[in-house]
Amino acid sequence: MQKIINASILNADFSNLKNQIDQVVSGGVDWIHLDIMDGHFVPNLSIGPGIVKTCRSLTTLPMDAHLMISNPNMFIPIFAEVGVDLISVHIENNALIYRTLQSIKDQGCKAGIVLNPGTPADAITSVMDIVDLVLVMSVEPGFGGQKFISSVLPKISQVREMIVAQNRDIHLQVDGGVDVNILPALIKAGADSFVVGSAIFRNPAGIGAAVQQLKQLLA
Ligand code: DX5
Ligand code: ZN
């Protein structure tokens, strides 16, 4: 499967969102990653459907919404409506996860399942037949700019084995603390989709150059 960079706009300069998105697009980023937080599932608030709709108007790139919210079911139709292509939900807070994933598919979106750093890979065994993406968090969700937790590397390899056993295209995404230094180890462990926030939007080399450096490592 083609390896991709997903730019997380969480730490972008929102006073100039169009400029920030234009820069990642011209740098050659593959997807835009939207971090949705409710101040309840995670101790932070971020963006909602209004900003996502604005992003949709600013680029034709695919967009994935990472829902870090206590009631994803309520918002799945809303994020589908504002134009996201893939919606990811956490396994940790959802006793009816299969129904939630099915409702994402029913809305015409691809469905992703997310594991926090402390959640073992086998927690998602029973949903592997429905998901289009597995997201392994490499920081505790809630904030950009945190340090990569390297103890998640074996879990990435474990999830890769689970994907191979499914014998169909499922993305393996890693999110949190990813930069050019850690990326080669993630590729080696079997990941193919890399969410990058601060290392793009807070990079002293500039946004476009940051994306290009990351993309070179995927070749
Ligand atoms: C954390 C988010 C991430 C994060 C990425 O809850 O899911 O997408 O903000 O940003 P960096 O790359 O700065 O860790
Ligand atoms: Zn995210």
mmCIF file with all atom_site columns, all heavy atoms in Angstrom, residues 186-213:
data_model
loop_
_atom_site.group_PDB
_atom_site.id
_atom_site.type_symbol
_atom_site.label_atom_id
_atom_site.label_alt_id
_atom_site.label_comp_id
_atom_site.label_asym_id
_atom_site.label_entity_id
_atom_site.label_seq_id
_atom_site.pdbx_PDB_ins_code
_atom_site.Cartn_x
_atom_site.Cartn_y
_atom_site.Cartn_z
_atom_site.occupancy
_atom_site.B_iso_or_equiv
_atom_site.pdbx_formal_charge
_atom_site.auth_seq_id
_atom_site.auth_comp_id
_atom_site.auth_asym_id
_atom_site.auth_atom_id
_atom_site.pdbx_PDB_model_num
ATOM 1   N N   . LEU A 1 186 ? 9.109  3.590  12.166 1.00 0.00 ? 186 LEU A N   1
ATOM 2   C CA  . LEU A 1 186 ? 7.678  3.298  11.993 1.00 0.00 ? 186 LEU A CA  1
ATOM 3   C C   . LEU A 1 186 ? 7.443  2.513  10.704 1.00 0.00 ? 186 LEU A C   1
ATOM 4   O O   . LEU A 1 186 ? 6.609  1.607  10.666 1.00 0.00 ? 186 LEU A O   1
ATOM 5   C CB  . LEU A 1 186 ? 6.863  4.602  11.956 1.00 0.00 ? 186 LEU A CB  1
ATOM 6   C CG  . LEU A 1 186 ? 6.993  5.505  13.186 1.00 0.00 ? 186 LEU A CG  1
ATOM 7   C CD1 . LEU A 1 186 ? 6.158  6.769  12.998 1.00 0.00 ? 186 LEU A CD1 1
ATOM 8   C CD2 . LEU A 1 186 ? 6.571  4.766  14.450 1.00 0.00 ? 186 LEU A CD2 1
ATOM 9   N N   . ILE A 1 187 ? 8.184  2.881  9.664  1.00 0.00 ? 187 ILE A N   1
ATOM 10  C CA  . ILE A 1 187 ? 8.077  2.145  8.396  1.00 0.00 ? 187 ILE A CA  1
ATOM 11  C C   . ILE A 1 187 ? 8.533  0.704  8.612  1.00 0.00 ? 187 ILE A C   1
ATOM 12  O O   . ILE A 1 187 ? 7.878  -0.240 8.195  1.00 0.00 ? 187 ILE A O   1
ATOM 13  C CB  . ILE A 1 187 ? 8.922  2.838  7.298  1.00 0.00 ? 187 ILE A CB  1
ATOM 14  C CG1 . ILE A 1 187 ? 8.327  4.208  6.952  1.00 0.00 ? 187 ILE A CG1 1
ATOM 15  C CG2 . ILE A 1 187 ? 9.018  1.956  6.052  1.00 0.00 ? 187 ILE A CG2 1
ATOM 16  C CD1 . ILE A 1 187 ? 9.178  5.056  6.020  1.00 0.00 ? 187 ILE A CD1 1
ATOM 17  N N   . LYS A 1 188 ? 9.640  0.558  9.317  1.00 0.00 ? 188 LYS A N   1
ATOM 18  C CA  . LYS A 1 188 ? 10.180 -0.778 9.600  1.00 0.00 ? 188 LYS A CA  1
ATOM 19  C C   . LYS A 1 188 ? 9.181  -1.639 10.387 1.00 0.00 ? 188 LYS A C   1
ATOM 20  O O   . LYS A 1 188 ? 9.053  -2.837 10.152 1.00 0.00 ? 188 LYS A O   1
ATOM 21  C CB  . LYS A 1 188 ? 11.487 -0.632 10.385 1.00 0.00 ? 188 LYS A CB  1
ATOM 22  C CG  . LYS A 1 188 ? 12.393 -1.813 10.281 1.00 0.00 ? 188 LYS A CG  1
ATOM 23  C CD  . LYS A 1 188 ? 13.768 -1.531 10.881 1.00 0.00 ? 188 LYS A CD  1
ATOM 24  C CE  . LYS A 1 188 ? 14.533 -2.834 11.025 1.00 0.00 ? 188 LYS A CE  1
ATOM 25  N NZ  . LYS A 1 188 ? 15.528 -2.774 12.078 1.00 0.00 ? 188 LYS A NZ  1
ATOM 26  N N   . ALA A 1 189 ? 8.458  -0.989 11.305 1.00 0.00 ? 189 ALA A N   1
ATOM 27  C CA  . ALA A 1 189 ? 7.488  -1.727 12.119 1.00 0.00 ? 189 ALA A CA  1
ATOM 28  C C   . ALA A 1 189 ? 6.233  -2.084 11.319 1.00 0.00 ? 189 ALA A C   1
ATOM 29  O O   . ALA A 1 189 ? 5.424  -2.899 11.763 1.00 0.00 ? 189 ALA A O   1
ATOM 30  C CB  . ALA A 1 189 ? 7.131  -0.908 13.359 1.00 0.00 ? 189 ALA A CB  1
ATOM 31  N N   . GLY A 1 190 ? 6.053  -1.457 10.150 1.00 0.00 ? 190 GLY A N   1
ATOM 32  C CA  . GLY A 1 190 ? 4.920  -1.850 9.301  1.00 0.00 ? 190 GLY A CA  1
ATOM 33  C C   . GLY A 1 190 ? 3.846  -0.797 9.092  1.00 0.00 ? 190 GLY A C   1
ATOM 34  O O   . GLY A 1 190 ? 2.820  -1.076 8.478  1.00 0.00 ? 190 GLY A O   1
ATOM 35  N N   . ALA A 1 191 ? 4.059  0.417  9.591  1.00 0.00 ? 191 ALA A N   1
ATOM 36  C CA  . ALA A 1 191 ? 3.054  1.471  9.395  1.00 0.00 ? 191 ALA A CA  1
ATOM 37  C C   . ALA A 1 191 ? 3.139  2.035  7.973  1.00 0.00 ? 191 ALA A C   1
ATOM 38  O O   . ALA A 1 191 ? 4.189  1.967  7.326  1.00 0.00 ? 191 ALA A O   1
ATOM 39  C CB  . ALA A 1 191 ? 3.270  2.585  10.418 1.00 0.00 ? 191 ALA A CB  1
ATOM 40  N N   . ASP A 1 192 ? 2.012  2.578  7.483  1.00 0.00 ? 192 ASP A N   1
ATOM 41  C CA  . ASP A 1 192 ? 2.015  3.173  6.138  1.00 0.00 ? 192 ASP A CA  1
ATOM 42  C C   . ASP A 1 192 ? 1.363  4.545  6.094  1.00 0.00 ? 192 ASP A C   1
ATOM 43  O O   . ASP A 1 192 ? 1.354  5.189  5.046  1.00 0.00 ? 192 ASP A O   1
ATOM 44  C CB  . ASP A 1 192 ? 1.339  2.235  5.130  1.00 0.00 ? 192 ASP A CB  1
ATOM 45  C CG  . ASP A 1 192 ? -0.077 1.875  5.531  1.00 0.00 ? 192 ASP A CG  1
ATOM 46  O OD1 . ASP A 1 192 ? -0.908 2.770  5.650  1.00 0.00 ? 192 ASP A OD1 1
ATOM 47  O OD2 . ASP A 1 192 ? -0.341 0.671  5.747  1.00 0.00 ? 192 ASP A OD2 1
ATOM 48  N N   . SER A 1 193 ? 0.820  5.018  7.220  1.00 0.00 ? 193 SER A N   1
ATOM 49  C CA  . SER A 1 193 ? 0.152  6.326  7.247  1.00 0.00 ? 193 SER A CA  1
ATOM 50  C C   . SER A 1 193 ? 0.655  7.073  8.481  1.00 0.00 ? 193 SER A C   1
ATOM 51  O O   . SER A 1 193 ? 0.565  6.548  9.597  1.00 0.00 ? 193 SER A O   1
ATOM 52  C CB  . SER A 1 193 ? -1.361 6.114  7.295  1.00 0.00 ? 193 SER A CB  1
ATOM 53  O OG  . SER A 1 193 ? -2.031 7.297  7.630  1.00 0.00 ? 193 SER A OG  1
ATOM 54  N N   . PHE A 1 194 ? 1.177  8.271  8.264  1.00 0.00 ? 194 PHE A N   1
ATOM 55  C CA  . PHE A 1 194 ? 1.902  8.955  9.339  1.00 0.00 ? 194 PHE A CA  1
ATOM 56  C C   . PHE A 1 194 ? 1.275  10.322 9.589  1.00 0.00 ? 194 PHE A C   1
ATOM 57  O O   . PHE A 1 194 ? 1.314  11.198 8.723  1.00 0.00 ? 194 PHE A O   1
ATOM 58  C CB  . PHE A 1 194 ? 3.381  9.076  8.960  1.00 0.00 ? 194 PHE A CB  1
ATOM 59  C CG  . PHE A 1 194 ? 3.960  7.756  8.535  1.00 0.00 ? 194 PHE A CG  1
ATOM 60  C CD1 . PHE A 1 194 ? 3.991  7.389  7.189  1.00 0.00 ? 194 PHE A CD1 1
ATOM 61  C CD2 . PHE A 1 194 ? 4.399  6.840  9.480  1.00 0.00 ? 194 PHE A CD2 1
ATOM 62  C CE1 . PHE A 1 194 ? 4.481  6.143  6.793  1.00 0.00 ? 194 PHE A CE1 1
ATOM 63  C CE2 . PHE A 1 194 ? 4.894  5.594  9.100  1.00 0.00 ? 194 PHE A CE2 1
ATOM 64  C CZ  . PHE A 1 194 ? 4.933  5.240  7.751  1.00 0.00 ? 194 PHE A CZ  1
ATOM 65  N N   . VAL A 1 195 ? 0.713  10.487 10.778 1.00 0.00 ? 195 VAL A N   1
ATOM 66  C CA  . VAL A 1 195 ? 0.127  11.772 11.151 1.00 0.00 ? 195 VAL A CA  1
ATOM 67  C C   . VAL A 1 195 ? 1.236  12.651 11.734 1.00 0.00 ? 195 VAL A C   1
ATOM 68  O O   . VAL A 1 195 ? 1.940  12.230 12.654 1.00 0.00 ? 195 VAL A O   1
ATOM 69  C CB  . VAL A 1 195 ? -0.995 11.606 12.194 1.00 0.00 ? 195 VAL A CB  1
ATOM 70  C CG1 . VAL A 1 195 ? -1.542 12.965 12.612 1.00 0.00 ? 195 VAL A CG1 1
ATOM 71  C CG2 . VAL A 1 195 ? -2.113 10.721 11.644 1.00 0.00 ? 195 VAL A CG2 1
ATOM 72  N N   . VAL A 1 196 ? 1.381  13.841 11.186 1.00 0.00 ? 196 VAL A N   1
ATOM 73  C CA  . VAL A 1 196 ? 2.427  14.746 11.662 1.00 0.00 ? 196 VAL A CA  1
ATOM 74  C C   . VAL A 1 196 ? 1.821  16.133 11.860 1.00 0.00 ? 196 VAL A C   1
ATOM 75  O O   . VAL A 1 196 ? 1.221  16.695 10.944 1.00 0.00 ? 196 VAL A O   1
ATOM 76  C CB  . VAL A 1 196 ? 3.605  14.826 10.658 1.00 0.00 ? 196 VAL A CB  1
ATOM 77  C CG1 . VAL A 1 196 ? 4.753  15.635 11.266 1.00 0.00 ? 196 VAL A CG1 1
ATOM 78  C CG2 . VAL A 1 196 ? 4.089  13.441 10.252 1.00 0.00 ? 196 VAL A CG2 1
ATOM 79  N N   . GLY A 1 197 ? 1.982  16.660 13.080 1.00 0.00 ? 197 GLY A N   1
ATOM 80  C CA  . GLY A 1 197 ? 1.469  17.991 13.399 1.00 0.00 ? 197 GLY A CA  1
ATOM 81  C C   . GLY A 1 197 ? 2.586  18.986 13.578 1.00 0.00 ? 197 GLY A C   1
ATOM 82  O O   . GLY A 1 197 ? 2.987  19.702 12.658 1.00 0.00 ? 197 GLY A O   1
ATOM 83  N N   . SER A 1 198 ? 3.158  19.034 14.805 1.00 0.00 ? 198 SER A N   1
ATOM 84  C CA  . SER A 1 198 ? 4.185  20.032 15.140 1.00 0.00 ? 198 SER A CA  1
ATOM 85  C C   . SER A 1 198 ? 5.395  19.981 14.216 1.00 0.00 ? 198 SER A C   1
ATOM 86  O O   . SER A 1 198 ? 5.955  21.025 13.883 1.00 0.00 ? 198 SER A O   1
ATOM 87  C CB  . SER A 1 198 ? 4.682  19.822 16.567 1.00 0.00 ? 198 SER A CB  1
ATOM 88  O OG  . SER A 1 198 ? 3.604  19.646 17.432 1.00 0.00 ? 198 SER A OG  1
ATOM 89  N N   . ALA A 1 199 ? 5.801  18.781 13.829 1.00 0.00 ? 199 ALA A N   1
ATOM 90  C CA  . ALA A 1 199 ? 7.011  18.659 13.000 1.00 0.00 ? 199 ALA A CA  1
ATOM 91  C C   . ALA A 1 199 ? 6.800  19.224 11.590 1.00 0.00 ? 199 ALA A C   1
ATOM 92  O O   . ALA A 1 199 ? 7.759  19.410 10.856 1.00 0.00 ? 199 ALA A O   1
ATOM 93  C CB  . ALA A 1 199 ? 7.476  17.206 12.934 1.00 0.00 ? 199 ALA A CB  1
ATOM 94  N N   . ILE A 1 200 ? 5.536  19.531 11.256 1.00 0.00 ? 200 ILE A N   1
ATOM 95  C CA  . ILE A 1 200 ? 5.256  20.264 10.008 1.00 0.00 ? 200 ILE A CA  1
ATOM 96  C C   . ILE A 1 200 ? 5.003  21.740 10.326 1.00 0.00 ? 200 ILE A C   1
ATOM 97  O O   . ILE A 1 200 ? 5.690  22.629 9.827  1.00 0.00 ? 200 ILE A O   1
ATOM 98  C CB  . ILE A 1 200 ? 4.032  19.670 9.260  1.00 0.00 ? 200 ILE A CB  1
ATOM 99  C CG1 . ILE A 1 200 ? 4.362  18.285 8.692  1.00 0.00 ? 200 ILE A CG1 1
ATOM 100 C CG2 . ILE A 1 200 ? 3.585  20.618 8.138  1.00 0.00 ? 200 ILE A CG2 1
ATOM 101 C CD1 . ILE A 1 200 ? 3.202  17.582 8.002  1.00 0.00 ? 200 ILE A CD1 1
ATOM 102 N N   . PHE A 1 201 ? 4.007  21.996 11.193 1.00 0.00 ? 201 PHE A N   1
ATOM 103 C CA  . PHE A 1 201 ? 3.530  23.377 11.353 1.00 0.00 ? 201 PHE A CA  1
ATOM 104 C C   . PHE A 1 201 ? 4.415  24.234 12.262 1.00 0.00 ? 201 PHE A C   1
ATOM 105 O O   . PHE A 1 201 ? 4.330  25.450 12.246 1.00 0.00 ? 201 PHE A O   1
ATOM 106 C CB  . PHE A 1 201 ? 2.073  23.383 11.849 1.00 0.00 ? 201 PHE A CB  1
ATOM 107 C CG  . PHE A 1 201 ? 1.115  22.918 10.789 1.00 0.00 ? 201 PHE A CG  1
ATOM 108 C CD1 . PHE A 1 201 ? 0.596  21.633 10.810 1.00 0.00 ? 201 PHE A CD1 1
ATOM 109 C CD2 . PHE A 1 201 ? 0.757  23.753 9.739  1.00 0.00 ? 201 PHE A CD2 1
ATOM 110 C CE1 . PHE A 1 201 ? -0.278 21.196 9.814  1.00 0.00 ? 201 PHE A CE1 1
ATOM 111 C CE2 . PHE A 1 201 ? -0.108 23.335 8.737  1.00 0.00 ? 201 PHE A CE2 1
ATOM 112 C CZ  . PHE A 1 201 ? -0.627 22.052 8.775  1.00 0.00 ? 201 PHE A CZ  1
ATOM 113 N N   . ARG A 1 202 ? 5.258  23.588 13.067 1.00 0.00 ? 202 ARG A N   1
ATOM 114 C CA  . ARG A 1 202 ? 6.183  24.344 13.933 1.00 0.00 ? 202 ARG A CA  1
ATOM 115 C C   . ARG A 1 202 ? 7.636  24.112 13.517 1.00 0.00 ? 202 ARG A C   1
ATOM 116 O O   . ARG A 1 202 ? 8.546  24.251 14.336 1.00 0.00 ? 202 ARG A O   1
ATOM 117 C CB  . ARG A 1 202 ? 5.980  23.924 15.401 1.00 0.00 ? 202 ARG A CB  1
ATOM 118 C CG  . ARG A 1 202 ? 4.575  24.145 15.932 1.00 0.00 ? 202 ARG A CG  1
ATOM 119 C CD  . ARG A 1 202 ? 4.336  25.618 16.269 1.00 0.00 ? 202 ARG A CD  1
ATOM 120 N NE  . ARG A 1 202 ? 2.922  25.910 16.460 1.00 0.00 ? 202 ARG A NE  1
ATOM 121 C CZ  . ARG A 1 202 ? 2.283  25.881 17.625 1.00 0.00 ? 202 ARG A CZ  1
ATOM 122 N NH1 . ARG A 1 202 ? 2.930  25.585 18.710 1.00 0.00 ? 202 ARG A NH1 1
ATOM 123 N NH2 . ARG A 1 202 ? 0.992  26.179 17.691 1.00 0.00 ? 202 ARG A NH2 1
ATOM 124 N N   . ASN A 1 203 ? 7.831  23.717 12.279 1.00 0.00 ? 203 ASN A N   1
ATOM 125 C CA  . ASN A 1 203 ? 9.189  23.384 11.832 1.00 0.00 ? 203 ASN A CA  1
ATOM 126 C C   . ASN A 1 203 ? 9.936  24.647 11.410 1.00 0.00 ? 203 ASN A C   1
ATOM 127 O O   . ASN A 1 203 ? 9.461  25.393 10.549 1.00 0.00 ? 203 ASN A O   1
ATOM 128 C CB  . ASN A 1 203 ? 9.104  22.404 10.657 1.00 0.00 ? 203 ASN A CB  1
ATOM 129 C CG  . ASN A 1 203 ? 10.425 21.724 10.376 1.00 0.00 ? 203 ASN A CG  1
ATOM 130 O OD1 . ASN A 1 203 ? 11.459 22.398 10.296 1.00 0.00 ? 203 ASN A OD1 1
ATOM 131 N ND2 . ASN A 1 203 ? 10.406 20.417 10.250 1.00 0.00 ? 203 ASN A ND2 1
ATOM 132 N N   . PRO A 1 204 ? 11.115 24.898 12.002 1.00 0.00 ? 204 PRO A N   1
ATOM 133 C CA  . PRO A 1 204 ? 11.875 26.108 11.652 1.00 0.00 ? 204 PRO A CA  1
ATOM 134 C C   . PRO A 1 204 ? 12.246 26.178 10.167 1.00 0.00 ? 204 PRO A C   1
ATOM 135 O O   . PRO A 1 204 ? 12.428 27.272 9.624  1.00 0.00 ? 204 PRO A O   1
ATOM 136 C CB  . PRO A 1 204 ? 13.161 25.993 12.495 1.00 0.00 ? 204 PRO A CB  1
ATOM 137 C CG  . PRO A 1 204 ? 12.913 24.932 13.502 1.00 0.00 ? 204 PRO A CG  1
ATOM 138 C CD  . PRO A 1 204 ? 11.778 24.079 13.021 1.00 0.00 ? 204 PRO A CD  1
ATOM 139 N N   . ALA A 1 205 ? 12.321 25.027 9.498  1.00 0.00 ? 205 ALA A N   1
ATOM 140 C CA  . ALA A 1 205 ? 12.661 25.007 8.065  1.00 0.00 ? 205 ALA A CA  1
ATOM 141 C C   . ALA A 1 205 ? 11.500 25.491 7.200  1.00 0.00 ? 205 ALA A C   1
ATOM 142 O O   . ALA A 1 205 ? 11.683 25.743 6.008  1.00 0.00 ? 205 ALA A O   1
ATOM 143 C CB  . ALA A 1 205 ? 13.071 23.604 7.645  1.00 0.00 ? 205 ALA A CB  1
ATOM 144 N N   . GLY A 1 206 ? 10.313 25.588 7.794  1.00 0.00 ? 206 GLY A N   1
ATOM 145 C CA  . GLY A 1 206 ? 9.131  25.996 7.036  1.00 0.00 ? 206 GLY A CA  1
ATOM 146 C C   . GLY A 1 206 ? 8.237  24.801 6.727  1.00 0.00 ? 206 GLY A C   1
ATOM 147 O O   . GLY A 1 206 ? 8.697  23.650 6.703  1.00 0.00 ? 206 GLY A O   1
ATOM 148 N N   . ILE A 1 207 ? 6.975  25.099 6.491  1.00 0.00 ? 207 ILE A N   1
ATOM 149 C CA  . ILE A 1 207 ? 5.958  24.045 6.340  1.00 0.00 ? 207 ILE A CA  1
ATOM 150 C C   . ILE A 1 207 ? 6.210  23.189 5.098  1.00 0.00 ? 207 ILE A C   1
ATOM 151 O O   . ILE A 1 207 ? 6.222  21.960 5.164  1.00 0.00 ? 207 ILE A O   1
ATOM 152 C CB  . ILE A 1 207 ? 4.549  24.691 6.307  1.00 0.00 ? 207 ILE A CB  1
ATOM 153 C CG1 . ILE A 1 207 ? 4.227  25.285 7.687  1.00 0.00 ? 207 ILE A CG1 1
ATOM 154 C CG2 . ILE A 1 207 ? 3.486  23.694 5.866  1.00 0.00 ? 207 ILE A CG2 1
ATOM 155 C CD1 . ILE A 1 207 ? 2.967  26.132 7.745  1.00 0.00 ? 207 ILE A CD1 1
ATOM 156 N N   . GLY A 1 208 ? 6.425  23.840 3.963  1.00 0.00 ? 208 GLY A N   1
ATOM 157 C CA  . GLY A 1 208 ? 6.614  23.101 2.713  1.00 0.00 ? 208 GLY A CA  1
ATOM 158 C C   . GLY A 1 208 ? 7.846  22.209 2.766  1.00 0.00 ? 208 GLY A C   1
ATOM 159 O O   . GLY A 1 208 ? 7.800  21.029 2.374  1.00 0.00 ? 208 GLY A O   1
ATOM 160 N N   . ALA A 1 209 ? 8.940  22.754 3.276  1.00 0.00 ? 209 ALA A N   1
ATOM 161 C CA  . ALA A 1 209 ? 10.191 21.984 3.371  1.00 0.00 ? 209 ALA A CA  1
ATOM 162 C C   . ALA A 1 209 ? 10.006 20.797 4.315  1.00 0.00 ? 209 ALA A C   1
ATOM 163 O O   . ALA A 1 209 ? 10.517 19.697 4.059  1.00 0.00 ? 209 ALA A O   1
ATOM 164 C CB  . ALA A 1 209 ? 11.324 22.883 3.858  1.00 0.00 ? 209 ALA A CB  1
ATOM 165 N N   . ALA A 1 210 ? 9.272  21.014 5.395  1.00 0.00 ? 210 ALA A N   1
ATOM 166 C CA  . ALA A 1 210 ? 9.036  19.931 6.363  1.00 0.00 ? 210 ALA A CA  1
ATOM 167 C C   . ALA A 1 210 ? 8.294  18.780 5.696  1.00 0.00 ? 210 ALA A C   1
ATOM 168 O O   . ALA A 1 210 ? 8.652  17.605 5.880  1.00 0.00 ? 210 ALA A O   1
ATOM 169 C CB  . ALA A 1 210 ? 8.241  20.458 7.550  1.00 0.00 ? 210 ALA A CB  1
ATOM 170 N N   . VAL A 1 211 ? 7.261  19.103 4.923  1.00 0.00 ? 211 VAL A N   1
ATOM 171 C CA  . VAL A 1 211 ? 6.506  18.049 4.236  1.00 0.00 ? 211 VAL A CA  1
ATOM 172 C C   . VAL A 1 211 ? 7.406  17.318 3.246  1.00 0.00 ? 211 VAL A C   1
ATOM 173 O O   . VAL A 1 211 ? 7.398  16.080 3.182  1.00 0.00 ? 211 VAL A O   1
ATOM 174 C CB  . VAL A 1 211 ? 5.268  18.631 3.513  1.00 0.00 ? 211 VAL A CB  1
ATOM 175 C CG1 . VAL A 1 211 ? 4.574  17.558 2.678  1.00 0.00 ? 211 VAL A CG1 1
ATOM 176 C CG2 . VAL A 1 211 ? 4.282  19.237 4.512  1.00 0.00 ? 211 VAL A CG2 1
ATOM 177 N N   . GLN A 1 212 ? 8.203  18.065 2.501  1.00 0.00 ? 212 GLN A N   1
ATOM 178 C CA  . GLN A 1 212 ? 9.075  17.442 1.496  1.00 0.00 ? 212 GLN A CA  1
ATOM 179 C C   . GLN A 1 212 ? 10.078 16.484 2.141  1.00 0.00 ? 212 GLN A C   1
ATOM 180 O O   . GLN A 1 212 ? 10.317 15.385 1.632  1.00 0.00 ? 212 GLN A O   1
ATOM 181 C CB  . GLN A 1 212 ? 9.800  18.510 0.683  1.00 0.00 ? 212 GLN A CB  1
ATOM 182 C CG  . GLN A 1 212 ? 8.889  19.164 -0.353 1.00 0.00 ? 212 GLN A CG  1
ATOM 183 C CD  . GLN A 1 212 ? 9.392  20.509 -0.826 1.00 0.00 ? 212 GLN A CD  1
ATOM 184 O OE1 . GLN A 1 212 ? 10.565 20.824 -0.687 1.00 0.00 ? 212 GLN A OE1 1
ATOM 185 N NE2 . GLN A 1 212 ? 8.495  21.316 -1.376 1.00 0.00 ? 212 GLN A NE2 1
ATOM 186 N N   . GLN A 1 213 ? 10.635 16.886 3.285  1.00 0.00 ? 213 GLN A N   1
ATOM 187 C CA  . GLN A 1 213 ? 11.596 16.011 3.973  1.00 0.00 ? 213 GLN A CA  1
ATOM 188 C C   . GLN A 1 213 ? 10.933 14.701 4.420  1.00 0.00 ? 213 GLN A C   1
ATOM 189 O O   . GLN A 1 213 ? 11.512 13.623 4.307  1.00 0.00 ? 213 GLN A O   1
ATOM 190 C CB  . GLN A 1 213 ? 12.180 16.722 5.195  1.00 0.00 ? 213 GLN A CB  1
ATOM 191 C CG  . GLN A 1 213 ? 13.222 17.791 4.837  1.00 0.00 ? 213 GLN A CG  1
ATOM 192 C CD  . GLN A 1 213 ? 13.542 18.710 6.015  1.00 0.00 ? 213 GLN A CD  1
ATOM 193 O OE1 . GLN A 1 213 ? 13.211 18.398 7.159  1.00 0.00 ? 213 GLN A OE1 1
ATOM 194 N NE2 . GLN A 1 213 ? 14.171 19.837 5.738  1.00 0.00 ? 213 GLN A NE2 1
#
